[in-house]
Amino acid sequence: MVTDEEGVLDLMVESLTLLADGVMQVTLVDPDGGWLPVWSPGSHVDVDTPGGLRQYSLCGDPADRRRYTVGVLHEPASRGGSSYVHEVLRPGDLIEVDGPRNHFELLPAKQYLFIAGGIGITPLLPMLREVAARGEEWRLVYGGRSRSSMGFLDQLAGYGDRVELWPADERGLLPLDRLLEDAPEGLGVYCCGPSALLDVVERRCDALPQVSVHLERFTAKDLSGFEDRPVTVVCSRSGIEREVPAGISILDVLEIEGISVPNACREGVCGSCEVAVLDGVPEHRDSIRTGAELDDTASLAVCVSRATTSRLVLDI
């Protein structure tokens, strides 16, 4: 396994496979044939592209230690990562990959409801494999613009009627009211897809105390409802104390002071900049936490989050 001094993996493109309209499956391997780091369902990696780091969910088999597989949707209006993968990347090319990290972990539940929108099917695929292997009770509802735009259909066909396909041009919007009606006690809802879908699922599950909801966002949630107040940040290990003004992130101030914090997205999506909190109450603005996780006081993502207290002591 080849890594640089920061632990980033230098991987080789083994294959590129067009699975559906605009959906490319990319398989990555160690160029020397070595094993890759262990990962679990829900994990993602950050891929270095000319447009910057892009987060992609691992959608292959965690038991296959020789390769990572991701699915990439071609979005011409995006910042360039998907166009690079679809139009430039070729088998044999080397790319830098950071991770894997998992903020979308598959947790125990009495039964599972998986909801996918478009390319949001990717992090759910390893979850389906695991719950099926364990003999758990589960179902998947998978929506897309059209059947031709929905990737991984051949793989899903093996699960029979546990999978319900919902192409919008044939059936309209996903039937969220029906899916969550009479939700049983202990239901685990796992959803990935467009922000609008995630927002609706989150709101509806918030009204269902018997349900636990878990979301994976590819883009940052809307932060316009937060008031950006100054906060004093104390770095316990380095002895630095600085005020973080409104409009400036904690991460920005730490970097100005020469304190290096790993970061990939700077939008609260990837979780790479989590720092432990020793004192003070975080105000979580990341796109990872949901439900009771928003009450966590042990750490925060310094790229977007702040504090409800005037002072925050970080273990850094």
Side-chain angles (χ1 to χ4, degrees), residues 39-43 57-62 106 121-131 155 159:
W39 62 282
S40 57
S43 295
S57 297
L58 292 172
C59 59
D61 184 354
L106 181 65
I121 187 63
T122 52
L124 302 182
L125 292 171
M127 295 185 180
L128 305 184
R129 181 182 290 107
E130 181 160 318
V131 296
Q155 181 176 333
Y159 294 121

Side-chain angles (χ1 to χ4, degrees), residues 251 254-255 259-264 266 272-275 302 316:
L251 177 59
L254 293 176
E255 290 180 334
I259 299 175
S260 178
V261 179
N263 64 88
R266 304 184 80 95
S272 62
C273 68
E274 285 280 325
V275 173
V302 293
I316 193 170

Side-chain angles (χ1 to χ4, degrees), residues 38-121:
V38 173
W39 62 282
S40 57
S43 295
H44 71 267
V45 292
D46 298 304
V47 177
D48 189 17
T49 75
L53 290 176
R54 295 293 181 266
Q55 177 183 326
Y56 298 116
S57 297
L58 292 172
C59 59
D61 184 354
D64 184 356
R65 295 288 308 280
R66 298 290 185 183
R67 53 187 50 81
Y68 287 162
T69 302
V70 299
V72 181
L73 175 65
H74 194 192
E75 299 179 281
S78 72
R79 293 173 293 173
S82 70
S83 294
Y84 170 72
V85 171
H86 279 257
E87 300 171 10
V88 178
L89 207 60
R90 294 293 181 269
D93 288 350
L94 294 177
I95 58 174
E96 290 187 350
V97 174
D98 191 11
R101 284 185 291 273
N102 195 343
H103 299 286
F104 191 44
E105 184 179 1
L106 181 65
L107 300 175
K110 291 184 178 179
Q111 56 183 281
Y112 296 90
L113 170 62
F114 300 99
I115 303 173
I119 197 64
I121 187 63

